[in-house]
Amino acid sequence: MRCAESIARLSKESALTVLGRAVALEAEGRSIINLGVGQPDFKTPDHIVEAAVKALRDGQHGYTPTKGILPLREAVAAHLGARFGVEADPECVLVVPGGKMTISFAVLLFGEPGAEILYPDPGFPPYRSIIDYSGAKAVPIPHREENGFAFKAEEVLARITANTRLIILNSPSNPTGGVTPRGEIEKLVEGLDAHPHVAVLSDEIYGRMCYDRAEHVSLLEFPSIRERLIYLDGWSKTYAMTGWRLGYGLWPKSLIEGAEKLAINFHSCVNTPAQFAGIAALEGPQDESERMVAAFEQRRHLVVERLNALPGITCQMPGGAFYAFPNVKSVALNDKALANSLLGEAGVALLAGSDFGAEGKGFLRISYANSEENIAEAIDRMGRFLQNY
Ligand code: PLP
């Protein structure tokens, strides 16, 4: 058999690989604390679950329109209108099985040999993987520690060429928790006036998880790029619905047909009861989601304070999401070896920064979507490991 060469260009996601290793070690009887996986440790709120159960009982068992049921797309449009004061056309909303799908579709719409796509480094690994798969050239945008893990607009603009088709942005960021300040976003949007051939994918899946004074600035706020902006959000993180596989993109009018064609060929439509759950999430009470975010905020302080007390580790206070990205450059092991040893020897699952791109080298990604008790125990274990090392 001979598989297509393009398959070899796809990479796996270390979060899922480490999860597999952690589960295998637990099955051997080892105690593992998992700070590796990027999903809320909360249950989906009951009223959302009930909406899906009701849909099933009501006989909602068939296909839906590819873009998603109209009431869900209307709920998305109303939500965006209320949040950002923008007009969103439900016809430009494409509901997809998880936010990841919007990334794949945006890249597949633009990516081909000869094209260039800019993406955050360190960044969510599927960006790079799917760009490589498409045959386009992947051009990293450094998000450095000294800039609070945000991009610098001039660095993004300097990387644009005549071949650039798409820029991928992500704030708040996975893996760093960095939040890009308004000033940089404004500068970038202004600079993009000179590059009308370039589209933007703004991954704002952690947009409702911003802490203290960190302000979430949506690219949707900027009318000058609306006609070339793909806005990505979903239910996975905000409503603790990672396993439901439900996300959406708001696409420009000129691109929605291409995106819909990809959806028709890839998945036909999203699981029907999950779509009804999505309406309940957006239109129902938000208090559980808000309580979850408040819990993350509290844990964030715990994680950062404890990490900064460890030998050889410094950690910035992240502005959003539920990740800390400590600098471990002073530890004698490199980040990959350290992450491996912490799992194998200390029973703490976390990820190496270099799994998120070259700029992530020398860092670890810690997801604090875990109980305060587990977080404290995990960092104690890290401390003991570092002391003995
Ligand atoms: N974008 C970012 C930055 C993420 O971290 C994730 C998930 O970890 C996604 C998109 C995809 O989310 P989903 O689980 O809805 O596919």
Side-chain angles (χ1 to χ4, degrees):
M1 289 188 291
R2 186 171 160 196
C3 291
E5 212 185 281
S6 52
I7 296 298
R9 296 200 296 268
L10 283 170
S11 33
K12 292 189 183 162
E13 215 187 306
S14 63
L16 301 175
T17 312
V18 169
L19 180 64
R21 238 191 108 200
V23 168
L25 286 170
E26 271 176 334
E28 288 170 14
R30 296 275 311 279
S31 153
I32 305 292
I33 299 178
N34 198 335
L35 304 182
V37 67
Q39 66 178 343
D41 56 319
F42 289 81
K43 290 218 163 66
T44 306
D46 281 347
H47 70 279
I48 301 176
V49 175
E50 287 310 320
V53 171
K54 182 174 182 309
L56 279 172
R57 294 237 157 85
D58 289 350
Q60 300 287 353
H61 303 165
Y63 294 124
T64 72
T66 293
K67 284 185 195 171
I69 53 175
L70 184 58
L72 177 57
R73 287 183 284 122
E74 285 173 343
V76 166
H79 166 78
L80 294 175
R83 235 175 113 198
F84 302 117
V86 294
E87 245 181 69
D89 180 353
E91 288 312 311
C92 290
V93 174
L94 179 65
V95 178
V96 280
K100 230 181 205 179
M101 214 63 172
T102 301
I103 300 168
S104 300
F105 288 174
V107 171
L108 294 177
L109 267 186
F110 290 104
E112 61 185 346
E116 295 175 13
I117 298 180
L118 277 54
Y119 71 102
D121 180 0
F124 185 41
Y127 300 145
R128 171 72 199 249
S129 174
I130 198 77
I131 296 169
D132 289 344
Y133 175 77
S134 77
K137 180 177 167 196
V139 181
I141 306 166
H143 286 51
R144 299 192 183 87
E145 187 184 30
E146 64 263 32
N147 300 324
F149 296 113
F151 64 73
K152 281 284 175 201
E154 66 263 27
E155 285 195 289
V156 182
L157 295 167
R159 283 164 173 72
I160 296 177
T161 70
N163 297 324
T164 306
R165 303 259 181 99
L166 178 69
I167 302 175
I168 302 176
L169 303 174
N170 172 223
S171 175
S173 147
N174 175 7
T176 65
V179 174
T180 305
R182 178 176 288 279
E184 290 307 317
I185 294 180
E186 282 176 354
K187 260 191 256 169
L188 176 66
V189 171
E190 220 177 280
L192 285 175
D193 281 348
H195 306 284
H197 63 292
V198 176
V200 176
L201 166 64
S202 185
D203 180 345
E204 301 185 20
I205 201 148
Y206 298 101
R208 286 163 79 185
M209 294 178 176
C210 265
Y211 312 116
D212 292 341
R213 270 158 287 142
E215 177 198 16
H216 174 60
V217 182
S218 174
L219 271 285
L220 276 177
E221 291 177 30
F222 300 89
S224 68
I225 56 159
R226 267 302 289 284
E227 284 315 309
R228 48 191 169 122
L229 173 69
I230 303 156
Y231 169 88
L232 180 164
D233 200 351
W235 287 260
S236 296
K237 317 286 175 176
T238 313
Y239 298 104
M241 291 177 72
T242 50
W244 294 70
R245 309 313 300 136
L246 191 65
Y248 69 87
L250 177 68
W251 294 76
K253 267 200 178 61
S254 57
L255 298 180
I256 184 70
E257 196 189 333
E260 187 184 10
K261 273 202 282 184
L262 285 164
I264 288 167
N265 283 280
F266 276 64
H267 62 264
S268 299
C269 68
V270 171
N271 174 304
T272 306
Q275 295 191 46
F276 284 89
I279 299 174
L282 291 175
E283 293 184 347
Q286 303 295 307
D287 49 329
E288 279 192 62
S289 169
E290 283 158 11
R291 269 202 298 278
M292 179 176 77
V293 175
F296 289 148
E297 171 145 33
Q298 196 165 318
R299 294 171 191 180
R300 179 182 70 128
H301 288 283
L302 173 74
V303 170
V304 172
E305 273 161 32
R306 293 282 194 111
L307 284 172
N308 278 317
L310 296 184
I313 295 192
T314 57
C315 185
Q316 280 195 6
M317 186 64 81
F322 39 68
Y323 306 110
F325 206 62
N327 182 324
V328 294
K329 289 179 183 169
S330 304
V331 177
L333 289 170
N334 70 34
D335 59 307
K336 271 198 183 257
L338 181 58
N340 258 326
S341 302
L342 284 170
L343 177 55
E345 294 174 39
V348 179
L350 37 69
L351 305 180
S354 48
D355 285 339
F356 295 87
E359 290 288 337
K361 194 162 173 244
F363 295 85
L364 295 176
R365 189 196 79 168
I366 292 184
S367 160
Y368 48 87
N370 208 321
S371 68
E372 289 192 20
E373 198 186 356
N374 280 345
I375 292 168
E377 168 64 16
I379 299 177
D380 283 348
R381 289 184 187 186
M382 289 172 70
R384 285 196 291 275
F385 173 85
L386 290 168
Q387 228 119 47
N388 294 336
Y389 184 73

